[in-house]
Amino acid sequence: MDAINETASMLSVEPTPSGQLMPEWLFNDLISKFDDDKLIIYPSEATRKTSLDRLSEYISSIDTSKHLTLKRLFSSLFLDLRLPIVMDNDALLFSLVHQLTVQYANDGRFPLMFTPIEGRKWSEYKTERLSQLHKELSELKTPWTWDNDPGVNEFRSLLLNLEKKTKKTHPQLMKSHLLNRLKSSTEVPFTLKGLNGIVMLDHCPEFSEMDRALLDLISKITPIHQLCSPGSFRLGFHGAYIADVEWCTEGTLPEWLPPHKICNTTEEFEWKSATAIQQSTSWHRISLERKEHYISSTIELVSDYLETNQGKIIIVDGAAEAKVNFWATRLQELGLICNLQSNNLREQSSIAGLVNALNIGEGLESWSFSKLRRLIGNTSFPLEFSQLSNLVHPTNPDWKPKPHLDILQNISLNFHVLGGPGALERWSYTLSIAKPNLGSDIAVMSQKFEETQWWLANILRIWAPLCRESAELAGKECIGCSSSVNLPLIEPIKTGTEWLNMIFQSLDFTKLVPHESRYSRAIPALQIVYEEHHRIMAQLHQLKFNQPTKHSDFISHI
């Protein structure tokens, strides 16, 4: 068999009205035949699921491998051709890429983006931006002919180097490897065996050059019949197409398709197709006095509709992410409970508390009273260091290392202990010489001062792997400001992983659970972070990459 690249393409295009995903002739053909001789390509996962649900009403058993999206098709072909598996596009992959990118940057291989001088560090943001640029350019067939390349070519060689180390395929190089293998292949991939042809439903006009090149190669193996919405390219009415070929007529339809009527390639109104006319589609414009009124107006329209009708409603909001809480509240008033909460881990309250704990020793407000107060009284990230309760005071057994916010606040105000470099040392020194004021309850205040001092001395030992100032002070003894005895302390934490384990052991989940509301992911988000961290560290160790264990490296890793 000759190489696939040397054969002719078998492409055909048929006009289809916009607004109609699957024509009736194709639907009837699928439910009347059970030989699975056609592969259907859907424009999205949502349309695939909707069509399978509809087909399941007529067919008891559906071969879902004959109903794919473009992404699923490429993944199946990738496996058929026995190429190395594709790496998951997750935090582990970013950690691996970032470590190699830092090495390349320090070697001066990105001269337009970074100068490797002492004190300068290549940031995660630059790795992310460079990766995003490479991702866009990797969708082009000839992406590397760029005179002012800021470093994408080097980044590509970096990814190829990573593939050799991991013996896997980077997601951004998957299409390139698939294209090269298909060009030289002499066998029909398993996914395409036994097919009479592929029917590609109407897609948005956003095929990349790589998508079209791959589909053109596939059409040399199995005929592709594309359903494409006609209309103006400039106005965006036209569907995506693989190649510029003539429209099919009823006389030129492929033989493997059932005979059917071809719709017109032109419409009286390009925005209104035959499907829209059949469904009596109309549009209305409602003017509002102020833009803030649009949510209330929409809710009124939805409410009026639901009083007399039953059906699905789609609400399109260009600022939906910023208005999530407003939409959820107003829709709930109508009895509509929607999962509109963000899936972004950073936006979960528990993750915000974890980030605050990580960064307590960072920046110009490091170890400030406001950060300490958030650490102590954060109800969305309640920490109860049970390890500290096991410590026994040498002379006063009822005294325990615990913070008193009034003590910390008074010291911050009266002694001007603000945040920033050296703040932790000032806290420690000020508490070590603190004495009760005249006129106060001497016994109570003496206990509060020493308990706060004792608590802080243990806290800086816990934060030793994250903060250099904590690590420097962790080796010092703690002499009680009231009892003048050497207070027992826990052993300093050595690595970031130990710190994370201790923080999760110290979380008071009995206080965290009441904060769980419908669709909240506070606890699952923490579980994801914990499991992902340990998985990534294990993989980095297995692949012999550097593991972030201390200070800013560990903080950035989390």
Side-chain angles (χ1 to χ4, degrees):
M1 181 179 175
D2 295 334
I4 293 172
N5 191 41
E6 298 175 359
T7 59
S9 301
M10 293 177 284
L11 280 170
S12 56
V13 181
E14 174 185 340
T16 187
S18 60
Q20 184 183 57
L21 175 64
M22 182 180 291
E24 287 301 318
W25 63 263
L26 179 58
F27 182 80
N28 293 332
D29 183 62
L30 290 176
I31 63 177
S32 62
K33 295 182 179 181
F34 302 97
D35 51 2
D36 293 328
D37 61 346
K38 299 180 185 66
L39 176 64
I40 312 299
I41 306 297
Y42 296 88
S44 66
E45 288 292 342
T47 56
R48 176 179 180 267
K49 181 180 182 301
T50 301
S51 295
L52 288 175
D53 289 343
R54 186 184 173 200
L55 287 169
S56 64
E57 298 176 2
Y58 300 88
I59 306 174
S60 59
S61 178
I62 301 175
D63 184 1
T64 56
S65 65
K66 297 297 188 294
H67 299 264
L68 304 174
T69 59
L70 209 56
K71 182 179 179 180
R72 284 175 179 265
L73 174 62
F74 293 159
S75 298
S76 298
L77 294 174
F78 202 82
L79 293 175
D80 292 344
L81 296 173
R82 296 178 292 278
L83 290 164
I85 62 173
V86 180
M87 291 180 276
D88 293 329
N89 192 12
D90 56 8
L92 171 61
L93 178 60
F94 182 80
S95 297
L96 297 175
V97 171
H98 179 63
Q99 281 200 29
L100 288 179
T101 309
V102 170
Q103 293 177 15
Y104 274 49
N106 291 333
D107 291 340
R109 301 179 70 170
F110 300 121
L112 298 182
M113 297 185 65
F114 183 77
T115 303
I117 58 177
E118 186 177 356
R120 292 196 64 186
K121 293 182 64 177
W122 177 275
S123 65
E124 290 85 355
Y125 176 75
K126 286 187 176 181
T127 300
E128 185 178 357
R129 297 293 293 172
L130 192 57
S131 177
Q132 184 63 33
L133 179 58
H134 178 271
K135 179 181 178 181
E136 296 299 325
L137 291 176
S138 62
E139 294 295 329
L140 304 177
K141 290 180 65 177
T142 55
W144 316 123
T145 55
W146 188 9
D147 294 336
N148 298 318
D149 177 12
V152 182
N153 199 20
E154 283 293 334
F155 189 77
R156 185 178 180 83
S157 66
L158 178 153
L159 297 184
L160 292 171
N161 185 24
L162 177 62
E163 288 185 336
K164 292 179 181 178
K165 289 187 176 183
T166 60
K167 297 181 181 179
K168 296 181 180 180
T169 301
H170 191 278
Q172 295 179 12
L173 301 179
M174 178 259 202
K175 290 182 182 179
S176 175
H177 293 322
L178 178 59
L179 181 66
N180 294 332
R181 178 60 67 88
L182 277 175
K183 284 181 178 179
S184 59
S185 178
T186 57
E187 60 177 331
V188 177
F190 179 78
T191 302
L192 304 179
K193 283 185 178 180
L195 294 178
N196 289 335
I198 299 173
V199 178
M200 178 168 288
L201 302 182
D202 191 23
H203 282 60
C204 294
E206 53 187 22
F207 284 167
S208 66
E209 288 185 9
M210 289 296 292
D211 290 336
R212 286 198 292 268
L214 284 167
L215 289 171
D216 183 65
L217 275 179
I218 294 171
S219 71
K220 297 179 179 182
I221 306 171
T222 303
I224 295 181
H225 184 71
Q226 189 177 2
L227 302 178
C228 186
S229 175
S232 170
F233 280 98
R234 181 178 62 84
L235 298 178
F237 295 130
H238 203 288
Y241 68 94
I242 302 171
D244 190 8
V245 297
E246 293 184 3
W247 296 107
C248 277
T249 64
E250 294 180 13
T252 59
L253 276 174
E255 296 180 355
W256 52 275
L257 289 175
H260 58 272
K261 184 180 178 180
I262 303 292
C263 77
N264 296 328
T265 56
T266 58
E267 302 287 349
E268 182 179 357
F269 302 103
E270 287 193 326
W271 57 270
K272 197 169 187 178
S273 67
T275 304
I277 296 173
Q278 183 182 359
Q279 297 177 353
S280 301
T281 301
S282 60
W283 65 275
H284 306 274
R285 177 179 295 165
I286 299 176
S287 299
L288 304 176
E289 292 184 1
R290 301 182 65 180
K291 66 179 182 179
E292 292 82 4
H293 296 165
Y294 76 93
I295 294 182
S296 298
S297 301
T298 303
I299 295 298
E300 290 183 17
L301 291 172
V302 172
S303 178
D304 291 343
Y305 177 84
L306 294 178
E307 287 180 0
T308 57
N309 299 276
Q310 290 184 351
K312 295 181 179 179
I313 300 173
I314 296 178
I315 300 175
V316 180
D317 183 1
E321 293 183 359
K323 302 289 185 180
V324 164
N325 294 330
F326 291 102
W327 280 115
T329 303
R330 297 305 303 274
L331 289 172
Q332 192 170 5
E333 294 174 359
L334 300 179
L336 303 175
I337 300 176
C338 305
N339 183 7
L340 295 177
Q341 300 301 318
S342 172
N343 289 324
N344 191 339
L345 291 182
R346 286 183 174 273
E347 296 182 10
Q348 302 301 320
S349 58
S350 57
I351 299 302
L354 176 60
V355 172
N356 175 68
L358 279 166
N359 293 311
I360 195 171
E362 297 290 312
L364 296 177
E365 291 189 6
S366 61
W367 300 106
S368 64
F369 171 70
S370 60
K371 283 196 172 186
L372 288 172
R373 181 172 55 187
R374 286 199 294 270
L375 179 68
I376 297 166
N378 193 340
T379 56
S380 61
F381 195 72
L383 292 173
E384 298 288 342
F385 293 102
S386 59
Q387 299 88 341
L388 305 187
S389 62
N390 297 327
L391 300 175
V392 180
H393 196 281
T395 59
N396 299 286
D398 57 330
W399 289 13
K400 294 295 179 182
K402 59 183 178 180
H404 297 276
L405 283 175
D406 55 335
I407 298 297
L408 293 172
Q409 185 175 20
N410 288 335
I411 290 177
S412 175
L413 294 174
N414 297 332
F415 292 89
H416 299 284
V417 180
L418 306 176
L424 188 57
E425 186 175 7
R426 291 195 298 274
W427 278 113
S428 300
Y429 173 74
T430 306
L431 283 168
S432 67
I433 61 173
K435 301 295 179 183
N437 294 327
L438 292 176
S440 62
D441 190 323
I442 302 297
V444 172
M445 295 305 295
S446 296
Q447 180 179 350
K448 281 188 173 183
F449 275 123
E450 186 154 323
E451 285 183 339
T452 304
Q453 178 197 10
W454 195 7
W455 171 83
L456 185 66
N458 283 285
I459 288 296
L460 62 85
R461 288 189 161 218
I462 295 174
W463 260 260
L466 304 188
C467 176
R468 287 183 170 83
E469 189 176 3
S470 298
E472 294 172 0
L473 297 174
K476 295 184 178 180
E477 295 181 342
C478 180
I479 306 298
C481 61
S482 301
S483 63
S484 299
V485 297
N486 192 359
L487 301 176
L489 302 172
I490 63 171
E491 289 295 321
I493 303 298
K494 295 181 174 60
T495 66
T497 297
E498 289 184 30
W499 177 89
L500 190 67
N501 291 337
M502 186 171 189
I503 290 297
F504 274 78
Q505 291 171 7
S506 304
L507 270 174
D508 189 346
F509 286 96
T510 59
K511 293 181 180 179
L512 188 59
V513 169
H515 289 274
E516 285 280 279
S517 59
R518 188 183 296 271
Y519 301 122
S520 174
R521 300 182 62 201
I523 295 178
L526 291 173
Q527 183 179 0
I528 290 173
V529 171
Y530 185 80
E531 291 177 352
E532 279 295 292
H533 163 72
H534 286 279
R535 184 181 70 86
I536 290 172
M537 296 296 280
Q539 289 292 324
L540 290 175
H541 176 71
Q542 181 180 352
L543 295 171
K544 298 181 180 179
F545 275 71
N546 295 329
Q547 300 179 56
T549 58
K550 292 185 177 181
H551 307 137
S552 59
D553 291 339
F554 182 82
I555 295 173
S556 300
H557 157 75
I558 296 294

